[in-house]
Amino acid sequence: MTVLIPSRAESRPGEDEKEASLSTSVLAPTPTPAGLRPGAFGHATHLACRECGATQELGPFYACGECFGPLEIGYEFPAVTREQIEAGPANIWRYQPLLPVPTDITTSPNMEPGFTRLLRADNLGRELGLRNLWVKDDSGNPTHSFKDRVVAVALSAARELGMKVFACPSTGNLANAVAAAGARAGMKTVVFIPHDLEVPKVIASAVYTDSLVAVRGNYDDVNRLASEIAGEEEGWAFVNVNVRPYYAEGSKTLAYEIAEQLGWRLPQQVVVPVASGAQLTKIDKGFTELARLGLVEESPYKVFGAQAEGCSPVAQAFKDGHDVVRPVKPDTIAKSLAIGNPADGPYVLDVVRRTGGAVESVTDDEVRDGIRLLARTEGVFAETAGGVTVATLKKLAESGRLDPDAETVVLNTGDGLKTLDAVADLVGPAATIDPTYAAFTGTGLA
Ligand SMILES: Cc1ncc(COP(=O)(O)O)c(C=O)c1O
Ligand SMILES: [Zn+2]
């Protein structure tokens, strides 16, 4: 049996390190690793292994030198106030002190994503019996998915590390975001996608770059190819491969925004789509940081993960009570979530189990219904990933696993205009008529 992470340490030396790196005191300037300009990564101080806790200096590294475990960013945060954040720009850079980006980040061309709508969802809530429901609608980002957040942070890292090419393997949305951000930054971009993606996602990448590469294979094949190229080519920043520790931090801004938009409060339940699982784990990290920094009151929250049944390796591991995630071959209309071998799968299991949440999966028909349900109740057109998440919300509510009175946030991470085919056969004109009043009254719609 192939597993993602061969062995998982019972004790996590990294946890103490994480605690220490969240100190809120005002500290001496961050030491600058060799070759980097001072403050290149803001208040980030080091990379820490998520498996064994070993630390190493900031740089273009993503695997632990000791055990090959994945690395994540450690910080020495300064004291940060709500007022300081509120005075910042209406995009993710208002959280600059909490991200691995320099203080002058707003001066370099980037897509300025974030600060998307948090919508009260009373209609959807009524439908599902949830009395305190919100939709965080990330389709409003510049390339219409949450990926603009992670790419903006990765772009900063690529620049600071002196990388020459901005690249990614992608299930579609990331390709759009990388191609656009690279164009805006004046960087060469090379973007790799599976050959069978939805046409709008292919076009919405190719319009920004001449270097879109369609690979005959699924996302996991594309990802393996990208890792190989990253190992061979000098100066290539594959956002979700060799600059992944920086990239992933961008998803923390979803947590920061949700809390700030709720009036500096953590929600009690949050439902998040899972592909690689990075977004879910970073939303948890974001909530934890806000509480430890005193920006919100510490309060319990449950994190729920959503997958499509045709690619549900994490939901399966959760149901089976396993710590490891067995890779699958994806077969679902939710192509943006079609990662059969999710890098952060085991960490998703950690988060949902620690917080008392769950990972659930839904069929493609439920995904289509989820898209229509959100559209017809709240006027939000989600792509298939949002359909997965709303359908999962429904399933969790119906099975009593969500507290109907708890403040609940469901994420829509992408725009329905990118996956029109998912619902094309299910919706359309109620009637096609001649341009006469009589013909109209004949439809019964008056
Ligand atoms: C629209 C959308 N939502 C959610 C995800 C899941 O993100 P992650 O890989 O961080 O789990 C993706 C990933 O491509 C996506 O495109
Ligand atoms: Zn390690």
Side-chain angles (χ1 to χ4, degrees), residues 315-400:
Q316 195 57 51
F318 178 79
K319 282 174 202 159
D320 294 343
H322 292 164
D323 284 347
V324 291
V325 175
R326 198 188 303 199
V328 300
K329 246 192 177 9
D331 180 15
T332 169
I333 59 164
K335 291 178 194 271
S336 57
L337 301 184
I339 298 185
N341 190 0
D344 286 272
Y347 304 109
V348 168
L349 294 171
D350 283 352
V351 170
V352 299
R353 287 183 178 138
R354 194 194 77 234
T355 62
V359 191
E360 188 49 275
S361 61
V362 290
T363 65
D364 283 358
D365 279 344
E366 289 173 310
V367 174
R368 293 185 187 96
D369 290 345
I371 293 173
R372 279 188 300 173
L373 178 63
L374 181 63
R376 288 173 183 214
T377 53
E378 299 299 342
V380 175
F381 187 13
E383 75 137 87
T384 45
V388 168
T389 316
V390 170
T392 298
L393 174 82
K394 182 169 188 269
K395 196 164 175 179
L396 291 168
E398 285 171 355
S399 59

Side-chain angles (χ1 to χ4, degrees), residues 44-381:
T45 49
H46 61 278
L47 294 163
C49 175
R50 290 162 89 182
E51 282 300 304
C52 78
T55 60
Q56 59 188 81
E57 68 173 15
L58 295 164
F61 314 117
Y62 61 106
C64 173
E66 303 287 325
C67 77
F68 300 110
L71 298 173
E72 80 172 338
I73 311 276
Y75 300 86
E76 297 280 10
F77 288 130
V80 183
T81 65
R82 294 176 182 178
E83 291 71 27
Q84 243 175 295
I85 291 171
E86 286 164 358
N91 56 53
I92 63 169
W93 304 132
R94 67 206 276 110
Y95 307 110
Q96 179 276 328
L98 311 181
L99 296 170
V101 299
T103 49
D104 62 1
I105 183 68
T106 54
T107 62
S108 50
N110 69 86
M111 302 296 283
E112 301 175 359
F115 229 68
T116 56
R117 310 183 295 176
L118 181 72
L119 297 168
R120 181 94 205 160
D122 289 339
N123 299 332
L124 178 60
R126 246 190 316 279
E127 196 78 27
L128 303 180
L130 300 173
R131 289 180 276 278
N132 204 346
L133 182 64
W134 301 82
V135 175
K136 178 64 173 167
D137 182 18
D138 240 23
S139 65
N141 276 311
T143 69
H144 309 284
S145 87
F146 91 99
K147 293 290 185 183
D148 290 315
R149 298 174 184 274
V150 281
V151 167
V153 178
L155 177 65
S156 174
R159 271 205 200 100
E160 298 296 342
L161 292 165
M163 304 289 221
K164 298 287 177 281
V165 182
F166 202 49
C168 70
S170 170
T171 57
N173 285 307
L174 183 59
N176 298 173
V178 164
R184 181 150 171 73
M187 255 179 113
K188 177 180 172 177
T189 58
V190 184
V191 169
F192 299 84
I193 53 169
H195 66 109
D196 61 350
L197 279 191
E198 301 95 337
V199 171
K201 282 190 183 150
V202 177
I203 294 171
S205 294
V207 75
Y208 302 114
T209 178
D210 286 336
S211 307
L212 175 69
V213 182
V215 178
R216 274 181 231 103
N218 62 26
Y219 172 79
D220 299 290
D221 299 319
V222 180
N223 192 33
R224 259 191 307 276
L225 172 63
S227 300
E228 197 181 332
I229 299 170
E232 296 288 334
E233 300 291 333
E234 194 73 16
W236 283 52
F238 278 92
V239 298
N240 49 344
V241 180
N242 55 340
V243 289
R244 187 172 181 86
Y246 306 90
Y247 155 93
E249 292 291 287
S251 280
K252 294 192 308 181
T253 60
L254 270 162
Y256 300 154
E257 284 178 23
I258 289 169
E260 183 179 349
Q261 290 169 321
L262 285 174
W264 294 108
R265 197 171 64 236
L266 299 184
Q268 292 166 289
Q269 305 177 132
V270 58
V271 187
V272 183
V274 172
S276 75
Q279 182 189 25
L280 184 145
T281 63
K282 295 301 175 178
I283 286 174
D284 171 60
K285 190 181 184 196
F287 287 155
T288 308
E289 287 175 352
L290 290 181
R292 290 194 187 155
L293 288 163
L295 288 162
V296 296
E297 207 171 291
E298 191 158 358
S299 58
Y301 58 85
K302 294 183 179 182
V303 183
F304 294 84
Q307 296 207 293
E309 218 165 86
C311 184
S312 52
V314 190
Q316 195 57 51
F318 178 79
K319 282 174 202 159
D320 294 343
H322 292 164
D323 284 347
V324 291
V325 175
R326 198 188 303 199
V328 300
K329 246 192 177 9
D331 180 15
T332 169
I333 59 164
K335 291 178 194 271
S336 57
L337 301 184
I339 298 185
N341 190 0
D344 286 272
Y347 304 109
V348 168
L349 294 171
D350 283 352
V351 170
V352 299
R353 287 183 178 138
R354 194 194 77 234
T355 62
V359 191
E360 188 49 275
S361 61
V362 290
T363 65
D364 283 358
D365 279 344
E366 289 173 310
V367 174
R368 293 185 187 96
D369 290 345
I371 293 173
R372 279 188 300 173
L373 178 63
L374 181 63
R376 288 173 183 214
T377 53
E378 299 299 342
V380 175
F381 187 13

